[in-house]
Amino acid sequence: SYVLTQAPSVSVAPEETARISCGGNNIGTKSVHWYQQRPGQAPVLVMSADRNRPSGIPDRFSGYNSGSTATLTISRVEAGDEADYYCQVWHSTTNHWVFGGGTKLTVL
Amino acid sequence: VQLVESGGGAVQPGRSQRLSCEASGFYFSGYGMHWVRQAPGKGLEWVASISYDGLDRYYAESTKGRFTISRDISKTALYLDMSSLTVEDTAMYYCAKEGGGATFLDHWGQGTLVTVSS
């Protein structure tokens, strides 16, 4: 099975830049998607296909994917960005959808 | 787009339960649908998916053989039939819609909580 690895937590000060990584075998050959989940709420898609922002997602959010790591970058972090972030890919070999373990973003 | 799950609640180990998801605001017959679960304090776990036409169904290894995903076009509803439930199946269960022709989930319901306990 395909495994996505995320750091459990990332902490940044307001107005700084947060980088949330997602590791996987040759993940650069896959399309990576990112979800934000605030406490007590359902997940929300914040980045699709490596670098595409859905409507309503601020341009402070950006994405990159190459080699063995995909990265979600949040610039000028705000208190409202505090949430869990999950990466996700579709594993074509099994037709399974795979989520990373999630990264908790804390805004100091 | 609106996805509203129902059917959660307390159930004893070994028993069965059916979850439902009422979909509205989009052409239900045109999109694949998924169930994703989240155990208390844990991360997201993909459970099962069904193609737009219902012909293709896929399951996580942890649920294969016990869970069945289905859809009713006439009712614009998605279902998850769960059997032989264990305490490890305790989770919030989310219904989610695929992006058109894509491999991401662009809309999620608010979830329904299933608690398996004796």
Side-chain angles (χ1 to χ4, degrees):
Chain A
S1 62
Y2 192 78
V3 176
L4 295 175
T5 301
Q6 295 184 246
S9 62
V10 168
S11 299
V12 295
E15 294 298 312
E16 296 297 311
T17 297
R19 294 179 179 85
I20 300 170
S21 64
C22 176
N25 185 32
N26 286 325
I27 196 174
T29 64
K30 296 182 180 296
S31 191
V32 179
H33 319 295
W34 292 90
Y35 302 87
Q36 175 194 68
Q37 186 180 33
R38 295 188 172 105
Q41 297 186 19
V44 172
L45 180 70
V46 295
M47 193 67 60
S48 66
D50 300 338
R51 61 177 62 211
N52 296 308
R53 277 179 295 105
S55 174
I57 302 302
D59 60 6
R60 300 184 297 103
F61 287 74
S62 62
Y64 184 74
N65 183 22
S66 179
S68 60
T69 305
T71 304
L72 175 71
T73 300
I74 308 172
S75 304
R76 304 182 302 282
V77 166
E78 303 174 355
D81 298 330
E82 190 162 281
D84 294 324
Y85 291 84
Y86 296 90
C87 57
Q88 174 255 311
V89 300
W90 172 61
H91 187 41
S92 58
T93 304
T94 58
N95 276 303
H96 286 187
W97 291 44
V98 181
F99 287 94
T103 296
K104 180 177 180 59
L105 174 64
T106 298
V107 181
L108 301 172
Chain B
V1 173
Q2 194 168 16
L3 300 169
V4 180
E5 302 92 338
S6 61
V11 60
Q12 293 180 327
R15 303 297 291 268
S16 300
Q17 193 157 12
R18 167 177 260 209
L19 305 183
S20 301
C21 171
E22 290 188 23
S24 60
F26 66 102
Y27 180 56
F28 184 69
S29 303
Y31 295 89
M33 298 293 294
H34 296 245
W35 288 99
V36 177
R37 70 184 181 181
Q38 186 171 36
K42 303 297 184 181
L44 301 175
E45 179 189 15
W46 174 78
V47 172
S49 65
I50 186 167
S51 59
Y52 69 98
D53 55 5
L55 295 181
D56 296 313
R57 310 179 194 201
Y58 300 99
Y59 299 90
E61 290 303 316
S62 59
T63 63
K64 200 171 185 178
R66 300 188 301 122
F67 289 13
T68 301
I69 189 172
S70 61
R71 63 193 299 164
D72 186 328
I73 302 300
S74 65
K75 296 181 179 178
T76 65
L78 177 73
Y79 303 104
L80 185 68
D81 288 294
M82 307 182 293
S83 65
S84 302
L85 286 164
T86 73
V87 295
E88 285 74 33
D89 296 315
T90 294
M92 182 71 79
Y93 284 75
Y94 294 101
C95 160
K97 168 189 168 291
E98 272 184 26
T103 59
F104 56 81
L105 302 171
D106 62 357
H107 289 89
W108 298 61
Q110 286 304 305
T112 187
L113 180 63
V114 174
T115 303
V116 184
S117 173
S118 55

